[in-house]
Every structure is written in C-alpha cells, then in structure tokens.
Amino acid sequence: MISFLQHSIRQKIFAVCLLLAISVVTAIGGTTGKLSGRVTDKNKEAMPGANIVLTGTTLGGVSDPDGYYSILNIPPGSYEVQFRFVGYSTYVVKNVQVTADNTTKLDAVLQEEGVTTQEVVVTAQKPVVDVNLTSTVATVDNQQIKALPVQDLQDIVNLQAGVVDGHFRGGRDGEVQYQINGVSINNPYDNAQSVKIDRSLIQEVQVITGTFDAEYGQAMSGVVNTVLKSGTDHFTWNAEVYDGDFLYGSGGKRGLTYNSHPLSTQSFQANISGPTGIPQTYFLASGRRYLFNDYLYGTRKYVPTDTSITSPTGDGKDVPLSYSYEWSGLAKITNKSLPGVEISYQLLFNYADARNGTWQWRFEPDGMRKQKTTSYVQGIDITHVLSPSTYYTVSAHQNYFDYTDWAYDNFYDTRYDSAKPPVTLPNSDAYYRGVDFGRFRQTTDAYIGQISLLSQVTRAHQIKIGGEVQYSDLQFGEAGTLVYLQENGQNVLKRYINLPPDYPGIQYYKPVSGAAYVQDLIEWNDLTIRAGVRFEYFDARSTVPSDLANPANAIAGAPHSYAKGTTAKTSLAPRLGVSYPITTTSGIFFSYGHFYQLPPLRDMFNNANYARLALIQAATSDYGVLGNPDVKPERTVQYEFGYKNAISDVLGVSVNLFYKDIRDLLGVEFISTYNDARYSRLTNVDFGNVSGFTISLDQRRIGLVSTTLDYTWQNAIGNSSDPAETANLAEAGRDARPRQEPFNWDQRHTINGSVTVSQPDDYSISAILRYGSGLPYTPSIGSGFGSQIETNSGRKPAGFLVDLRAEKDFSIGGVSFNAFLRVFNLFDATYFNGDVFTTTGSPDYSTASYADRFRLADPTRYYTPRKIEIGISLSQLVPAQ
C-alpha cells in the first residue's frame, strides 16, 4: 500500500518543481467565487468608501464612487458579510452562499445611526433559481451532500439531470473532464477520473452538463469540478464508521439462498484539521479504510491444481467472488504567511486490492485474476493577489495511476505451470480447475503545469487568461504472454515478455499537450455574457506507416513504406453564453460552443504496431482493428437555450433545451493493400447528434419537507456506439455502412427525484428516486448467421430505484453525534437497464432456453440486491488557544 509513496520520490519532486518553474499558461477551472453588489442609503443614493468585510477572514473590499464593489478569490462556502460606514449602523448579512466560478449578488441599504444604533442583521436566502447562469450548472455543497444517501463523487454526479451512468446528455463514455480544485485528474489512457473522492473531503461540487467556459478543455460533454476542504485556524476533527450487508429473500429471480454476512461492508474514516504551529499555516489530514465483499459468494470446492472432478481438494469455505479492500486519504497544508500569497500542497491517494469475479468461478474462486490499483494526485498551488482586482494562480501537479490485473504477481510463478488454463465441469459453465492466464498492466504518470490570471479590469469586465502544459508517460499492454505450443508432439507452456508483433508486451508512449485561453465575464446591468476562445495543441510523438497500402513492407514490388512521424494537432474553440433576467425572479439564457477532445490514448495506441501485417495476404482481413496515433481530436458543437423562474420564494423551475452535433468520433476505416488484402484501423469517421430537454423543479423546505424533481428527454443517435462496432459488423457479415441508430446509452426518459423531511440539528429522512426508460438492444429471431435484426432497434424494460437515508443528531459531553441508516435499492428491484435476452427483450426468459441455459442460471444478470448500512459519525470543535 505504501509503495506508491516510494515511487521515485526524488525524481517526482524535482519534476514537479521544474514544471512549476517553466509552466507558462494554463487552464485552471474555477475554485473561488466572487461577491459583488451596490451599497446605498435609504434614499438609494450611492455610498462610496463603504467597507465590506467577510467576517472571520481577511477578505473584503471598498465601494467605488458609484457605490459598487467586487470581492474576488473567495473560497466556496457560507459567509457572514458586514457593511460598515462611519455614521451608519453596521449592516450584517448571514448565510451568504458563494460558489466557485460564479458571482453572488448582494446589495446593502445602510441606515443612519440616528435611526438605529444597533446592527441590522438579516439572513440571506439562496435563490431557488440563479437567473445569472449562462448554461446548466448544478452546484452541490457539503451540507447537501451530507443529507443524501451517497458515498463518493460519482454517486453525486449520476443524480444530476441529463446524466445517465456517467454519460452526459448522450455523449460517449470518457467525454467528461474531472477536476480537483480546478486541475484535471483524468487519466489520459481512458479519460476517466484517476482517483476516487470520498464525500467527507468535498466542500463543493460543480456539475456542468451544458456548455462550459473556455477555461475548461479536453471535454466534449461536461465538466465536474470538485473543491476540496482546506485546513482551518482552529482544531476540528470528525470520524465516521459504518457497517453494512445485503438483505434479500432466498429464491426469487436470482435463485440464491440468502446468508447473512454482517461485516460485508466496513468503513472507518477520520479527519483532523487545524494550525501547524507555524505562523499562518494550516493542515488537513484524512484517512479511510474501506472493506467490501459483494453479495455473490462461491464455494471453494476446487483449487486451481485439482485434476479430478470427483476428488476435489478445496476447503469448502464460502468466499465472495468479488471484493474490494481499499485505503484512501488526503493530506493538505496551506500557508498564508506572506502578504497576499497563499501556498498549498495536497496529496490525494487511493489504493485498492480487488477481485472482479464472475459466476463461472463459483466452485474454484482462487483461479481468478486479481486487480490492484495505486493512484495519487499531488501538487503545489500558489495564489498571489496583486491588487483587490487582480490575482494569479500557478499550479504544478502530478497524476499517477498504476493498475495490474493478473492471478499471480510473478510472471514465472510455477502455479501457472501446475494449474494450466481453466477447464469446466461436464455440461456446465463452472470451472473446476485451472487459472486465468491473462496479464495486463496500465501505468500513467502525468505532469501538469498551469498558471492563470484573473482581473476585474472594469466594473463590467472580468478577464481571465491562462493555459496548460501536460506531459504523460503512458505504459499499457500484456505484462507477459502465457501460451501453450506444440513441441515434439506435446503441449508446452511458453512465456513471452516482449516479442512483437504476436506478443507485443508493454507499450510505451510519451505524448504532450498544451492549451491557452482567454475568457471575458461581462456583467452589465442585468445582462451577463461569458465569451471566450480556447486554443489546444497535442502531439502523440509516435509514428505511422507512410504508405497504408504496404504498411509492413510485406508486398514484393510495392512502393516502400517507412515510419512517418505523427503530426501535431491544433484546434480553436469559441465559446459564448448569454443570460438576461426578464424580471428579478425569472430569466432566459443561451449558450453555444465548440468543444474538442483527444480520444482515449488507449484507443489511439492499442494494436498500433503495423508490423503485425507482415504476413498479410490477399482476401484476408482478420488482423483486428489497428490503432492510429495520428487521429484528430473529436469535436462537438453544442447549443443550449434555457428559461428559469422562481414561481415563489420556495419553488423554482428550470427548462433547458439542448442540441449537440458530434463529428470526428473514432470509428473504423477499411484499407486495401497492393495485393488485394484488407485490414481495418481507427480514424475520425463516426458521427452522431443528441437533442433533448430537461425540466427541473426545486422546492425549498416548507415546514419539514423539501423536494427536487427533474425530467430529461433525449434522443442520442449516431452511426456507432463503439469505435470498433463497424469492424465487428463487417466481420460478422452484416451491413457495415454508415447509418443513424440509437446509441447504447440512449435512455429516452430519465427522472430523478428527492424528498427530505428534516428538523435542523435534530433528525432528517431523505429518499432519492430514479426512473429510467429502457436502453436500446439489438433483437434477434434465433441464433446463428443472419438472426439479428436492426442494431439497437429494440428497447429494454424500464427500471425504478429508491435509495433512503435517515439520521438522528445528538450530543454528549461536547461531542456531536450523527447516527444514520442508509438503504440502497430499498424495494430490492431486480432490474435496472441490465442484460436482456435478445430473443425476448426480457432478463427473465429466452426462447432458446437450452442454448441460454447457463445465462439463465447466472444471478449476476440481475441488479444488485438491497443493501443496508448503519453507522455513526462524530465531531468536535476544539476551541483555539
């Protein structure tokens, strides 16, 4: 677990410091907000020179000759704001919510001391709709997160309107930029987030499902920006522990006999924050141990080296087929000792020892592969305030991710030889001997250097400029190949570590990318305009054959082909958003933008060694889909129009219409060679479009009850759901010509709702309700050649899920306690957009019952059963000395 901290630590520190010194421009997402407004007297006359102070901080400002003020660089959170002017009573506003990358408007009317000598104190109410937003942005703060039955960041993201299992408004998987404090944590290998983020670390999450500003790049569908908590100037601590188990009835559709495993889920988490003893220096430390055993258990009847069906040597114990045992944590230190300068360092890490089991291994679980993941994100951030209207931020970060997937760590482990490949029982799909020979490793070591400058150049214009430089050391592939070959009439196990093209081993790539942008936020009277442009650069630093018709120089007499370097790719992306309040409680907005993103490097570089075509022959085409490091960025043009209205002080409605035109997606082209052979490779040929709308209702608490409800309708269609789909159709002898069909994730109707019944500081009960119409599938009318009907022309059954959280607050001896209960899949639904049989469109039965007999007996085709977690959290504020 600790090995990642020892991973070339001196080299890493040097590289981070070097990047900090040489980075020039960067794309830092918003991590702080802005407070602005006007100070007047009772006659609406401007009050220049009024002091505005955020209580308990060093932040503040002074109103200009017209009474206007702006305070920049405010961390997200809830504040008390004081307005002071000599001869006037202090005006205090409590519970002012500031969110990252947004402007909170707050005006003040001061009263002369002759009228009142006491402070005027009011409590701000967060508007039920924000009429100043120029696109669809959901902001969830730590208090809202605490009340929901969610555990990590992805749970929060999937609750937002327009998000279907990580797909934002019909986009492909991997089209979302995940950031921590404005810096990317995406793994360029697959464009997925490289670390998990526990909810206890989150101060605020912004989920942008519509268009987004020029400061955000390498994303086509959305942005998730997470602002982590920071250290405090007084000691605080909190801890949480919970235990859980699955609870479902025996029999039923799953056909399982229920056995209780009361410790199947365990979580132990603790945070501590406070001063370090060094002047103006604060720390935050957090750690979590998480143990999870899935509901599906097998019986260790056999071991991998067994040779007899009737004489097994297993111990007969019940063991979970899937599990995940994790360590995670955060260490953060912040220094504010230099005037106008904040320096922070943070390390966020994950380690997981897991097994993703399948039903086939239920009698011999020790033959399965195991997965280990080590990942961390570390970096230095420096913010320097040059004046009340200008500051810049410099960042240098390292994102490290290492993943292994194999049965035994040692490639030469003799258990491979003694166990041999897996063998099934007669007339069964269950293994009784052998071990999985697969071996895979993926490592990404990415370094990101960033700087941004923000200036309120005039009252109406806030300019932000920046850019980024990223270097990635990417490694992935088979960590050695085990294969049986014939030698002297006998099968002999052979080991190959790196013998291309048949056994290529680990592949190494070192791409670089960069970006620069300029963004203008115009707030003129009631009109808000966000306009910007982004320039992006990418160099794969790889090669491709110069002549694709003779890629491996295997065709006699044909023109010679040589390794040609890939070309650097550039793009220019304009972005525009406009918001105009119709009244003080309603407004409309429109946004438009071009968004570019490099495909996952996994797809570009996988199988990209064209030497495998050295034996290419006429009339052959079975070489797999070859990679292509020279592809262009994928592109999406988005349009969005919205209307927001606060129907009352406690009820708001938002209606958003959106359209996405998607081009240059990775797909397959077929190349003919000089000897009439054919092979396929990836290139930018796929396309699609998405249209839809969302309707959201937000009802603030009336009495004890508050609710939210959103509905999304979308139509996501294109010529393929997967880059290799065209090649798969061609190999199956089906029509591979371009056409429009629903994407695999085209969930036409989606409903998310929540209901909360609460009494602050006493108790709370909340429920999340999710409904999804059926995803597409490809029906068939039997088995064999020609049995399939049109791709994705069928629809799976709809699904409905309910999750629940109940909690009770109390205190003992100065310590606050929160006892809670969480129930996932409250009604134990067995189906929610999972697998179906193509002959029936149902998960329950098939017309080919004998051919599908093994799948019919597999309980994993159904949704995860009901799960219950019971826990307690406690916290205490230690007064400053």
Side-chain angles (χ1 to χ4, degrees):
M1 179 196 69
I2 308 300
S3 61
F4 73 91
L5 291 175
Q6 302 168 338
H7 177 78
S8 307
I9 190 66
R10 285 174 295 185
Q11 296 180 15
K12 304 309 179 191
I13 294 175
F14 173 78
V16 169
C17 293
L18 180 63
L19 272 173
L20 181 61
I22 66 173
S23 339
V24 278
V25 284
T26 182
I28 299 178
T31 59
T32 59
K34 170 183 169 184
L35 182 67
S36 68
R38 193 178 188 218
V39 185
T40 62
D41 61 17
K42 63 180 182 180
N43 299 317
K44 301 300 180 182
E45 295 293 329
M47 299 193 66
N51 290 299
I52 301 94
V53 177
L54 275 65
T55 307
T57 75
T58 58
L59 299 170
V62 179
S63 59
D64 66 14
D66 295 318
Y68 291 95
Y69 74 94
S70 291
I71 304 173
L72 308 178
N73 199 30
I74 305 174
S78 176
Y79 294 91
E80 178 184 282
V81 182
Q82 295 187 7
F83 295 84
R84 301 171 182 167
F85 195 85
V86 176
Y88 287 77
S89 296
T90 300
Y91 184 77
V92 181
V93 185
K94 295 184 176 182
N95 196 33
V96 178
Q97 298 291 327
V98 177
T99 60
D101 214 25
N102 287 317
T103 300
T104 299
K105 299 290 184 67
L106 183 64
D107 296 332
V109 178
L110 303 189
Q111 301 286 336
E112 295 183 62
E113 286 187 337
V115 178
T116 175
T117 59
Q118 297 181 344
E119 289 184 345
V120 178
V121 180
V122 297
T123 300
Q125 291 288 335
K126 183 180 178 181
V128 289
V129 294
D130 188 343
V131 296
N132 297 305
L133 294 178
T134 60
S135 66
T136 303
V137 182
T139 301
V140 188
D141 61 35
N142 60 330
Q143 293 302 315
Q144 293 171 301
I145 294 170
K146 179 180 178 295
L148 294 173
V150 297
Q151 187 58 44
D152 58 31
L153 175 63
Q154 199 57 52
D155 297 332
I156 301 168
V157 172
N158 285 332
L159 291 177
Q160 308 310 315
V163 180
V164 178
D165 195 22
H167 296 271
F168 280 43
R169 289 188 173 177
R172 280 182 174 178
D173 195 22
E175 292 185 357
V176 178
Q177 175 72 214
Y178 286 89
Q179 298 187 339
I180 291 180
N181 293 346
V183 180
S184 172
I185 59 168
N186 278 26
N187 182 354
Y189 169 76
D190 56 5
N191 284 342
Q193 59 177 340
S194 58
V195 290
K196 291 183 178 180
I197 306 174
D198 185 71
R199 67 178 194 149
S200 65
L201 306 176
I202 298 174
Q203 177 66 33
E204 179 182 280
V205 176
Q206 278 191 339
V207 182
I208 307 175
T209 53
T211 59
F212 39 91
D213 289 347
E215 62 185 295
Y216 299 106
Q218 280 302 301
M220 294 198 302
S221 290
V223 175
V224 177
N225 185 25
T226 304
V227 180
L228 300 183
K229 295 177 180 178
S230 296
T232 56
D233 60 0
H234 49 271
F235 280 106
T236 62
W237 62 266
N238 63 74
E240 180 183 86
V241 58
Y242 67 81
D243 175 61
D245 191 13
F246 294 92
L247 180 62
Y248 57 94
S250 296
K253 292 183 177 181
R254 298 186 186 93
L256 297 173
T257 299
Y258 176 72
N259 291 305
S260 175
H261 299 91
L263 300 178
S264 64
T265 300
Q266 302 174 60
S267 178
F268 308 90
Q269 177 266 328
N271 295 347
I272 185 170
S273 173
T276 63
I278 303 172
Q280 295 292 299
T281 304
Y282 316 106
F283 77 93
L284 170 65
S286 174
R288 184 181 184 221
R289 176 61 167 163
Y290 178 65
L291 306 170
F292 171 71
N293 292 325
D294 206 358
Y295 73 97
L296 199 63
Y297 278 67
T299 302
R300 190 185 286 119
K301 183 177 181 181
Y302 299 94
V303 298
T305 54
D306 278 346
T307 58
S308 171
I309 296 175
T310 57
S311 302
T313 62
D315 58 15
K317 290 185 178 179
D318 289 343
V319 294
L321 296 183
S322 297
Y323 60 78
S324 182
Y325 307 143
E326 304 175 19
W327 290 95
S328 62
L330 170 70
K332 186 173 183 178
I333 187 167
T334 304
N335 178 275
K336 301 179 181 180
S337 59
L338 298 176
V341 177
E342 178 178 307
I343 304 173
S344 67
Y345 167 82
Q346 70 178 22
L347 168 67
L348 181 68
F349 73 90
N350 294 156
Y351 172 82
D353 185 355
R355 182 169 70 191
N356 298 322
T358 63
W359 184 237
Q360 279 188 287
W361 294 96
R362 58 191 178 274
F363 298 138
E364 195 235 312
D366 295 338
M368 287 185 284
R369 291 183 290 177
K370 293 177 280 293
Q371 299 77 39
K372 292 183 180 179
T373 303
T374 300
S375 61
Y376 62 85
V377 174
Q378 65 169 339
I380 300 171
D381 302 287
I382 301 174
T383 299
H384 184 194
V385 178
L386 301 176
S387 71
S389 61
T390 304
Y391 69 92
Y392 68 88
T393 301
V394 179
S395 299
H397 282 242
Q398 178 198 10
N399 296 346
Y400 179 79
F401 183 88
D402 182 67
Y403 171 83
T404 61
D405 184 5
W406 49 52
Y408 307 121
D409 292 339
N410 187 352
F411 180 50
Y412 295 95
D413 196 309
T414 57
R415 286 176 290 183
Y416 281 121
D417 303 81
S418 57
K420 299 181 175 56
V423 180
T424 61
L425 292 165
N427 196 32
S428 172
D429 67 334
Y431 296 123
Y432 79 95
R433 62 162 299 171
V435 66
D436 192 328
F437 275 14
R439 295 181 60 84
F440 178 80
R441 181 166 204 152
Q442 193 277 304
T443 303
T444 301
D445 204 356
Y447 299 90
I448 307 171
Q450 305 189 176
I451 187 173
S452 70
L453 173 70
L454 184 146
S455 180
Q456 190 76 40
V457 293
T458 69
R459 185 193 307 161
H461 289 270
Q462 178 181 286
I463 302 294
K464 189 173 186 179
I465 60 174
E468 73 177 9
V469 177
Q470 177 167 324
Y471 166 83
S472 299
D473 186 347
L474 179 70
Q475 307 173 25
F476 71 93
E478 296 184 22
T481 302
L482 297 151
V483 59
Y484 274 93
L485 298 177
Q486 283 281 332
E487 284 190 1
N488 301 321
Q490 294 185 341
N491 284 332
V492 178
L493 180 61
K494 307 292 289 186
R495 287 174 166 86
Y496 299 105
I497 292 181
N498 188 16
L499 189 64
D502 295 326
Y503 312 111
I506 302 292
Q507 304 297 299
Y508 300 85
Y509 300 95
K510 301 180 185 296
V512 296
S513 62
Y517 71 87
V518 58
Q519 182 77 37
D520 186 10
L521 171 60
I522 305 170
E523 295 174 308
W524 181 68
N525 293 333
D526 293 329
L527 183 69
T528 301
I529 301 175
R530 305 179 82 106
V533 63
R534 181 180 179 88
F535 170 82
E536 293 185 331
Y537 169 92
F538 175 79
D539 188 351
R541 302 173 71 194
S542 186
T543 61
V544 292
S546 62
D547 190 343
L548 295 176
N550 187 23
N553 291 315
I555 304 172
H560 183 77
S561 180
Y562 61 89
K564 179 180 67 173
T566 54
T567 59
K569 306 298 187 299
T570 61
S571 60
L572 197 65
R575 317 274 173 87
L576 176 67
V578 180
S579 172
Y580 182 73
I582 302 172
T583 67
T584 57
T585 59
S586 65
I588 58 174
F589 70 85
F590 167 78
S591 58
Y592 158 84
H594 290 240
F595 305 91
Y596 293 86
Q597 182 179 19
L598 263 299
L601 300 186
R602 167 199 61 199
D603 297 338
M604 294 171 57
F605 293 126
N606 188 40
N607 197 26
N609 185 352
Y610 287 71
R612 70 183 297 111
L613 302 179
L615 301 178
I616 194 167
Q617 299 177 6
T620 62
S621 61
D622 187 16
Y623 302 98
V625 178
L626 273 75
N628 182 5
D630 207 25
V631 297
K632 300 183 297 184
E634 299 172 325
R635 174 172 60 93
T636 293
V637 181
Q638 291 197 50
Y639 306 84
E640 184 178 17
F641 176 81
Y643 169 74
K644 298 183 178 184
N645 184 22
I647 299 174
S648 69
D649 292 340
V650 296
L651 181 62
V653 61
S654 298
V655 180
N656 303 318
L657 290 78
F658 58 87
Y659 177 78
K660 299 166 64 173
D661 182 40
I662 310 169
R663 291 290 182 267
D664 295 330
L665 291 175
L666 273 197
V668 170
E669 67 174 347
F670 295 94
I671 308 295
S672 297
T673 65
Y674 291 117
N675 63 348
D676 294 328
R678 191 176 74 159
Y679 66 93
S680 58
R681 75 163 190 165
L682 293 176
T683 192
N684 301 96
V685 295
D686 281 358
F687 56 88
N689 64 76
V690 183
S691 56
F693 65 88
T694 64
I695 302 175
S696 302
L697 294 170
D698 189 355
Q699 177 250 311
R700 184 176 292 156
R701 194 156 69 97
I702 303 176
L704 301 177
V705 181
S706 60
T707 61
T708 66
L709 181 67
D710 63 69
Y711 167 75
T712 302
W713 180 92
Q714 71 176 22
N715 183 29
I717 57 176
N719 70 311
S720 69
S721 300
D722 180 84
E725 182 176 311
T726 303
N728 295 336
L729 290 173
E731 289 177 6
R734 300 180 60 203
D735 186 1
R737 291 174 296 180
R739 71 277 187 206
Q740 293 273 21
E741 65 185 25
F743 288 135
N744 290 343
W745 52 88
D746 177 38
Q747 187 166 284
R748 195 59 49 83
H749 306 281
T750 306
I751 298 176
N752 294 314
S754 69
V755 179
T756 301
V757 178
S758 65
Q759 183 66 50
D761 302 320
D762 189 1
Y763 66 87
S764 174
I765 301 174
S766 62
I768 292 176
L769 306 88
R770 288 177 288 165
Y771 167 85
S773 61
L775 295 177
Y777 79 100
T778 303
S780 64
I781 53 175
S783 60
F785 181 80
S787 66
Q788 289 185 313
I789 308 176
E790 289 296 324
T791 303
N792 282 348
S793 58
R795 287 281 170 175
K796 300 177 181 180
F800 182 74
L801 294 174
V802 178
D803 298 333
L804 179 72
R805 178 184 175 97
E807 59 183 44
K808 171 66 176 176
D809 295 324
F810 58 95
S811 61
I812 301 175
V815 178
S816 298
F817 291 83
N818 176 269
F820 62 87
L821 166 73
R822 292 191 299 210
V823 184
F824 301 93
N825 192 6
L826 176 65
F827 298 112
D828 195 24
T830 56
Y831 184 80
F832 192 80
N833 270 325
D835 293 333
V836 297
F837 292 99
T838 58
T839 57
T840 63
S842 169
D844 300 327
Y845 67 98
S846 166
T847 59
S849 57
Y850 181 78
D852 291 328
R853 64 191 184 282
F854 298 140
R855 279 187 62 200
L856 285 165
D858 186 349
T860 62
R861 73 183 190 276
Y862 289 110
Y863 193 77
T864 303
R866 180 193 299 113
K867 183 182 179 184
I868 297 178
E869 295 174 349
I870 300 175
I872 189 168
S873 62
L874 54 158
S875 61
Q876 184 177 32
L877 173 66
V878 181
Q881 300 297 320

